[in-house]
Amino acid sequence: MSFSTTTKNEITLLKNTKSESIAVLSAFVRNNAYIKDDNIIITTENIKVASMIKSYIKFLYNINVNINKINNLNLYKNKLNEIRIKDKVTFILEDLGYQDNEGIYLDKVPEYIVGANEEIRAYLRGVFLSSGSINDPKSSYHMELTISKMEEAIFIQKLLNIFELNAKILSRDKGYMIYIKEAEKISDYLKLLHANNAVMYYENIRIYHEEKNKTNRLNNCEQANTDKIVGAGAKQLDQIELIEENIPFDLLDDKIKEAITYRKKYPETSLKELSEIISLETGKPITKSGLNHRFRKIKELSDRFNK
């Protein structure tokens, strides 16, 4: 079962007030239903969503409707669940803000349907149930709503952005896509829908990815530092080799000899680590800065012969 389906199934279990139920059903009808032969026809692949719609129709309008299986025009998808509302059609369409009292379609849902935050949340739940999808966070961060009418798409985007979700719109061949790609915003969107189990799952995966990326960045940083240390040590060994080829070791300054001896003994250690080793083994403290000064002297010596 996909993450979208699991989330939708969770939403269908929510208890709604009458005004919230109207908002959910309004969004679903405006973005999913069509009118034919004075019937309101609603279709969905999800049987639990269909059952929820059926219960809302009974609750709000005291009408019993059936859920029928019909073939999907897309042969590669499951059959659709169809609900036909045959009674009180005009009243229902007006009550849900689909049309006015003259039967004219309303480009924008009436304000009373989305008059408060909870009604707005309910309307957005209805939109998601009718035309939304969210990728499983294990694969990618992406939420989208497929909307056929431009005015409705702009309206839904505005509702989403009341909650600072940074929703954007793209024009498609057959309508418009409202989308969110930021992981944190998608998590906020799920909270907005009251899909609490989905939020917990999403947050766990998101946090895991963030920690994994953080660990990878730290590992990369450590590897870069290691490469830098190893590179510096290798360069110092080349300088030492050039000095040894041209100057007898016994003629070198004692401090330079000590630095050379320990660098050859510990070729891949950092200056800080090497200074600590020398201090411990010789009993004569030397700082990283002091050791670095010796290696500058070694470089100056090697430069005389590096022609």
Side-chain angles (χ1 to χ4, degrees):
M1 187 181 297
S2 72
F3 180 65
S4 288
T5 300
T6 302
T7 303
K8 289 180 180 182
N9 289 349
E10 180 182 357
I11 291 171
T12 64
L13 299 176
L14 294 173
K15 302 298 182 184
N16 291 288
T17 64
K18 183 177 180 180
S19 62
E20 289 170 350
S21 300
I22 289 173
V24 171
L25 195 55
S26 173
F28 205 96
V29 168
R30 288 177 65 86
N31 291 284
N32 179 284
Y34 63 97
I35 315 303
K36 183 178 180 182
D37 300 328
D38 292 326
N39 290 180
I40 303 171
I41 301 171
I42 300 169
T43 59
T44 175
E45 289 184 14
N46 190 314
I47 185 60
K48 291 189 178 182
V49 172
S51 297
M52 183 203 74
I53 297 297
K54 177 181 177 179
S55 69
Y56 282 14
I57 294 167
K58 173 65 176 176
F59 169 55
L60 294 171
Y61 306 111
N62 196 28
I63 296 173
N64 291 311
V65 292
N66 296 320
I67 300 173
N68 299 308
K69 292 286 185 182
I70 64 169
N71 289 327
N72 196 327
L73 293 178
N74 187 332
L75 299 177
Y76 298 100
K77 291 193 174 183
N78 298 326
K79 286 192 172 186
L80 293 173
N81 302 288
E82 181 189 78
I83 295 174
R84 284 179 178 257
I85 305 173
K86 302 178 181 180
D87 302 320
K88 303 181 182 179
V89 170
T90 300
F91 174 78
I92 291 172
L93 291 176
E94 291 178 15
D95 193 50
L96 296 179
Y98 185 91
Q99 66 183 34
D100 64 17
N101 56 13
E102 294 182 356
I104 298 173
Y105 174 77
L106 297 173
D107 288 335
K108 184 178 177 182
V109 66
E111 189 173 335
Y112 71 85
I113 289 179
V114 287
N117 270 0
E118 284 309 310
E119 279 73 37
I120 293 173
R121 292 170 187 266
Y123 191 86
L124 292 173
R125 288 199 294 273
V127 175
F128 177 69
L129 291 172
S130 68
S131 61
S133 66
I134 302 179
N135 288 5
D136 191 311
K138 289 179 180 177
S139 60
S140 62
Y141 299 129
H142 183 80
M143 182 287 291
E144 70 177 59
L145 304 167
T146 305
I147 309 298
S148 60
K149 299 179 180 68
M150 181 181 67
E151 295 83 359
E152 179 74 4
I154 293 171
F155 176 68
I156 292 167
Q157 182 196 31
K158 287 181 179 178
L159 292 184
L160 289 167
N161 288 340
I162 288 173
F163 303 95
E164 300 180 351
L165 294 177
N166 196 27
K168 299 178 181 177
I169 297 180
L170 280 179
S171 178
R172 289 277 187 85
D173 290 340
K174 295 183 178 180
Y176 301 86
M177 180 183 76
I178 302 170
Y179 68 94
I180 302 172
K181 283 188 172 293
E182 300 164 71
E184 187 175 348
K185 298 296 185 183
I186 295 173
S187 182
D188 290 341
Y189 173 70
L190 290 169
K191 294 172 190 173
L192 173 71
L193 300 181
H194 292 319
N196 296 330
N197 291 334
V199 171
M200 289 178 62
Y201 173 83
Y202 204 93
E203 280 296 287
N204 285 338
I205 300 299
R206 186 173 75 88
I207 291 169
Y208 168 76
H209 282 170
E210 286 182 357
E211 289 301 317
K212 184 177 179 181
N213 290 338
K214 182 179 178 181
T215 300
N216 287 340
R217 286 194 296 271
L218 288 173
N219 287 341
N220 291 339
C221 184
E222 288 174 4
Q223 185 60 50
N225 286 337
T226 300
D227 292 344
K228 184 178 178 181
I229 290 166
V230 171
K235 187 177 291 186
Q236 288 166 355
L237 288 172
D238 289 340
Q239 294 165 357
I240 289 167
E241 183 178 356
L242 196 56
I243 290 170
E244 289 179 334
E245 288 175 354
N246 292 275
I247 302 175
F249 189 71
D250 289 342
L251 297 181
L252 296 173
D253 179 85
D254 287 344
K255 292 182 178 179
I256 297 297
K257 287 195 287 187
E258 185 176 70
I260 289 174
T261 300
Y262 276 92
R263 172 49 79 200
K264 291 173 70 175
K265 188 176 180 181
Y266 300 100
E268 296 183 356
T269 56
S270 67
L271 278 180
K272 184 175 184 300
E273 292 170 331
L274 195 59
S275 67
E276 291 171 353
I277 291 169
I278 294 172
S279 298
L280 183 65
E281 292 191 3
T282 65
K284 295 180 290 184
I286 182 172
T287 63
K288 174 185 173 183
S289 177
L291 186 58
N292 188 47
H293 178 73
R294 294 186 189 184
F295 279 111
R296 281 202 301 271
K297 292 289 186 181
I298 289 171
K299 182 180 184 305
E300 289 171 6
L301 278 175
S302 69
D303 285 344
R304 297 178 187 177
F305 310 108
N306 191 16
K307 297 180 181 178

